[in-house]
Amino acid sequence: MMRFFSLRRWWAPAAVGLLLVGCQSQSSSDKATADSDAASTSAAASTDTASVASPPDGITAALIGQHIKALASDEFQGRRPFTAGEEKATSYLAAEFKKLGLKPGPNGSYFQPVPLVEITGTPAPTATVAGNGKSLTLKYRTDYMVLTEREQPMVAVNSPLVFAGYGVVAPEYGWDDYAGLDVKGKTVVVLINDPGNAGTDTTLFKGKAMTYYGRWGYKYEEAARHGATGVLIIHDTKPASYPWTVVQSSFGGSKLFPQTPDRGASKVALEGWITLDAAKRLFTAVGQSYDEEYAAANKKGFRARPLGLNFSTSLRNKITQKASKNVVAVLPGTTRPNEYIVYSAHWDHLGIGPAVAGDSIYNGAVDNASGCAGLLAIAKGFVQAKEKPGRSIVFLAVTGEEQGLLGSAYYAAHPLFPPASTVANINMDGLLGYGPMRDLTITGYGQSELDDYARAAAKEQNRYVIPYQHPETGSFYRSDHFSFAKIGVPALYASGKYDSRLHGKEFIETKRKEFEAKHYHQPSDEYDPKADLRGAEQDARLLFRIGQRLASETTFPKWKEGSEFKATREKSRPVQ
């Protein structure tokens, strides 16, 4: 699952507010239903065991483990796009789909080319911050990380620093960090997340639940719209929900971006992060308190201010334009073959990077060999089922999720199957290996009628439905379902996350924190033969059952009132 990404602007500036209306929101009736589900299942918890019914549908923990073991092996080199690992991973997936008897995409191929540009930056080892009679030297990787989206062999920056709060312009919330501020030719320093997400005033924005304004891709784009030269986001581990090591592993070396006609000229010259400690040193150098400035930035009426310092650094770039691949396979429907249900998972991970404890291959077993394994297992389930689906089932393994949802975004902009005829997207990203789960957690709960399909399928497994429990991390925007949602296709992103049948909630919370701190985007996210993949089997079967039901119907699930994606869907599919 990617944490770092830059979503390209897909809305008209006047419609920015629409993006935030319904994300991860839920009506009181939705919440009551979720609470009721949880209460009724918890009442029976004392009789739960770790056993899970396994009907003969071909979806098994052993099969999922077999695919994870292959895709996350060292042979696949961490599955980074533009590498031998990509060729191995995409060939493996296409061969498995073909072995199941699935058809290629409408272009006659199991591959959809995705044109990208790879920019391999070599930053200067230090950056200099000077002014007000002070001079500081910041060390690359230790204090800051930078890259550029501009396709230029050399990018050099020497610009004044301006503290711009959260770097947010949100008229629907009465918030404008750029009000009265000229940042042309300057580098803005901004806080991570959004004002409400800080928790100091839960009436701001959507309170604890992060909005799109909290995403770093938005901050870079907003700064570019105001003519800034660069952006430095202050990394604070607690609100970020990941340590600085994740910034280092995700932000260093080469990065992939969509190919654009202007070759990135409309982007800020420098996109970067700075540690909290380094940021505090900057404020101290100009006689200001970071804590006081942070508090001020979390109040309405905050006005950005120059820091009286210049930031200077550079980076050299190697630029490669090339095509990566989405992998696509189809099981044609028997009665309504021109209507489609799309299952998705991303095949890519981080490839080979800085060694940690002597290991430099970032295998990405959980993230996201597990999702691709689930994709293949569900495909087998549909092929093996006696009753063939009335609607066509599409299996889509996308590239570049870790680089910014690039593969699914390209698919959304160049769909192989018409979005108006696409019934739903069901996405998998990070199926867990902690055994059977009681909960089914929906990221983006309350958005669409797919919640109801998920609840019915969960009931078959004696599970309860809950919303994602950490909305402050902005996970709704962090996986490939979002690319489908933004073009109006109802999308479901759901799996067991919080409540183990055998070990309970505290066990899972401990495991979650351990994974975030030690294994997420690290070489240690490897295949574990001791992992209990019965929970992954359970999730794959549940999502399979949802697809079976959707494939047997003639209606289309709808977005719920208040969802920001409802209008887009109704434009492509007018309400009947």
Side-chain angles (χ1 to χ4, degrees):
M1 179 190 302
M2 54 77 67
R3 298 284 189 185
F4 294 88
F5 64 94
S6 178
L7 292 176
R8 298 305 172 276
R9 184 161 44 147
W10 56 271
W11 68 97
V16 172
L18 295 177
L19 187 60
L20 308 168
V21 175
C23 290
Q24 298 203 81
S25 64
Q26 52 180 315
S27 68
S28 58
S29 60
D30 286 332
K31 186 177 187 302
T33 302
D35 290 345
S36 175
D37 285 346
S40 61
T41 304
S42 295
S46 60
T47 62
D48 280 342
T49 68
S51 62
V52 175
S54 298
D57 54 15
I59 299 172
T60 66
L63 177 63
I64 291 171
Q66 171 190 318
H67 290 308
I68 294 174
K69 183 178 181 180
L71 288 164
S73 66
D74 283 357
E75 179 187 352
F76 283 63
Q77 300 179 14
R79 306 187 308 279
R80 184 180 174 85
F82 288 11
T83 68
E86 165 168 4
E87 294 306 313
K88 289 179 181 293
T90 55
S91 296
Y92 179 90
L93 291 165
E96 291 297 317
F97 286 138
K98 187 174 182 179
K99 193 186 302 182
L100 288 169
L102 299 175
K103 304 295 183 184
N107 60 354
S109 171
Y110 288 100
F111 304 117
Q112 179 190 30
V114 180
L116 301 173
V117 58
E118 181 178 52
I119 301 179
T120 304
T122 303
T126 62
T128 300
V129 181
N132 196 38
K134 303 283 186 178
S135 180
L136 303 174
T137 298
L138 303 180
K139 294 181 180 179
Y140 177 66
R141 294 189 64 83
T142 302
D143 297 316
Y144 72 99
M145 299 292 292
V146 289
L147 56 76
T148 186
E149 293 189 49
R150 293 187 179 180
E151 296 178 39
Q152 299 174 0
M154 179 77 170
V155 172
V157 170
N158 183 8
S159 65
L161 289 175
V162 177
F163 178 53
Y166 284 92
V168 166
V169 178
E172 73 279 22
Y173 293 119
W175 199 278
D176 186 354
D177 285 325
Y178 286 94
L181 184 66
D182 180 7
V183 297
K184 290 177 181 173
K186 300 172 184 176
T187 293
V188 294
V189 179
V190 298
L191 300 170
I192 197 168
N193 296 359
D194 64 39
N197 191 247
T200 53
D201 183 350
T202 56
T203 67
L204 298 177
F205 287 60
K206 293 183 70 66
K208 184 179 179 183
M210 187 195 294
T211 68
Y212 179 64
Y213 291 123
R215 296 302 300 144
W216 62 263
Y218 162 78
K219 294 175 189 287
Y220 292 151
E221 291 168 357
E222 191 63 60
R225 284 191 282 274
H226 285 81
T229 292
V231 180
L232 293 174
I233 298 174
I234 299 172
H235 175 80
D236 188 345
T237 295
K238 185 175 179 181
S241 79
Y242 43 77
W244 180 249
T245 54
V246 174
V247 181
Q248 292 172 322
S249 64
S250 301
F251 225 83
S254 61
K255 296 290 290 180
L256 301 178
F257 305 100
Q259 292 183 19
T260 59
D262 70 353
R263 301 175 69 89
S266 61
K267 307 296 180 182
V268 293
L270 208 68
E271 300 175 351
W273 292 73
I274 184 171
T275 65
L276 178 60
D277 176 69
K280 287 182 175 180
R281 285 155 54 197
L282 295 185
F283 283 94
T284 300
V286 292
Q288 297 178 15
S289 162
Y290 170 82
D291 292 338
E292 290 178 3
E293 293 301 309
Y294 175 83
N298 280 281
K299 295 178 181 177
K300 278 195 172 184
F302 168 79
R303 288 294 175 261
R305 61 207 69 178
L307 285 174
L309 299 169
N310 261 43
F311 179 81
S312 177
T313 195
S314 63
L315 64 162
R316 298 188 311 275
N317 301 307
K318 177 184 175 183
I319 300 161
T320 305
Q321 289 190 327
K322 196 173 177 181
S324 185
K325 301 185 189 84
N326 289 336
V327 185
V328 60
V330 186
L331 179 62
T334 57
T335 58
R336 304 173 76 87
N338 295 324
E339 295 175 356
Y340 308 92
I341 297 154
V342 180
Y343 284 90
S344 62
H346 71 92
W347 59 256
D348 67 303
H349 198 56
L350 303 180
I352 298 174
V356 178
D359 187 357
S360 61
I361 299 177
Y362 290 65
N363 305 81
V366 173
D367 182 17
N368 184 38
S370 67
C372 287
L375 196 69
L376 292 169
I378 291 170
K380 183 174 182 178
F382 273 105
V383 169
Q384 188 172 298
K386 292 181 180 179
E387 184 178 346
K388 301 307 177 187
R391 287 165 157 162
S392 294
I393 310 297
V394 178
F395 300 95
L396 182 67
V398 296
T399 184
E401 190 268 1
E402 299 290 4
Q403 305 284 334
L405 310 186
L406 302 183
S408 59
Y410 185 83
Y411 178 91
H414 305 86
L416 297 174
F417 307 95
S421 301
T422 301
V423 178
N425 166 246
I426 299 173
N427 186 52
M428 289 165 283
D429 194 348
L431 302 181
L432 301 182
Y434 305 139
M437 306 291 281
R438 293 192 189 107
D439 72 290
L440 179 71
T441 294
I442 299 177
T443 300
Y445 183 83
Q447 285 276 14
S448 81
E449 292 176 347
L450 290 176
D451 291 353
D452 306 321
Y453 288 78
R455 184 175 294 105
K459 189 175 182 180
E460 292 178 1
Q461 297 182 344
N462 191 30
R463 298 169 71 181
Y464 62 90
V465 169
I466 56 172
Y468 184 62
Q469 298 296 289
H470 294 277
E472 69 276 10
T473 63
S475 289
F476 186 82
Y477 312 106
R478 290 180 171 177
S479 193
D480 295 298
H481 60 282
F482 183 55
S483 294
F484 286 88
K486 71 184 184 184
I487 60 171
V489 176
L492 179 68
Y493 179 31
S495 63
K497 286 189 180 296
Y498 294 106
D499 193 355
S500 163
R501 284 196 183 279
L502 187 60
H503 304 292
K505 296 177 181 178
E506 289 186 8
F507 168 83
I508 294 296
E509 183 65 8
T510 298
K511 289 293 186 181
R512 183 188 70 80
K513 289 179 178 178
E514 178 184 315
F515 182 80
E516 289 278 357
K518 298 181 179 180
H519 308 300
Y520 173 66
H521 282 196
Q522 298 298 316
S524 55
D525 181 11
E526 297 181 302
Y527 170 69
D528 180 1
K530 296 180 181 179
D532 185 348
L533 292 170
R534 288 176 295 170
E537 172 191 328
Q538 185 184 37
D539 285 342
R541 178 169 295 113
L542 182 145
L543 299 177
F544 166 64
R545 294 287 293 138
I546 292 172
Q548 280 190 310
R549 178 180 166 187
L550 288 166
S552 69
E553 297 179 338
T554 60
T555 56
F556 280 64
K558 297 180 177 63
W559 294 103
K560 293 186 177 180
E561 291 297 331
S563 171
E564 65 271 36
F565 310 110
K566 189 172 185 288
T568 302
R569 182 62 156 184
E570 291 179 352
K571 186 176 180 180
S572 66
R573 283 191 61 80
V575 178
Q576 302 297 318

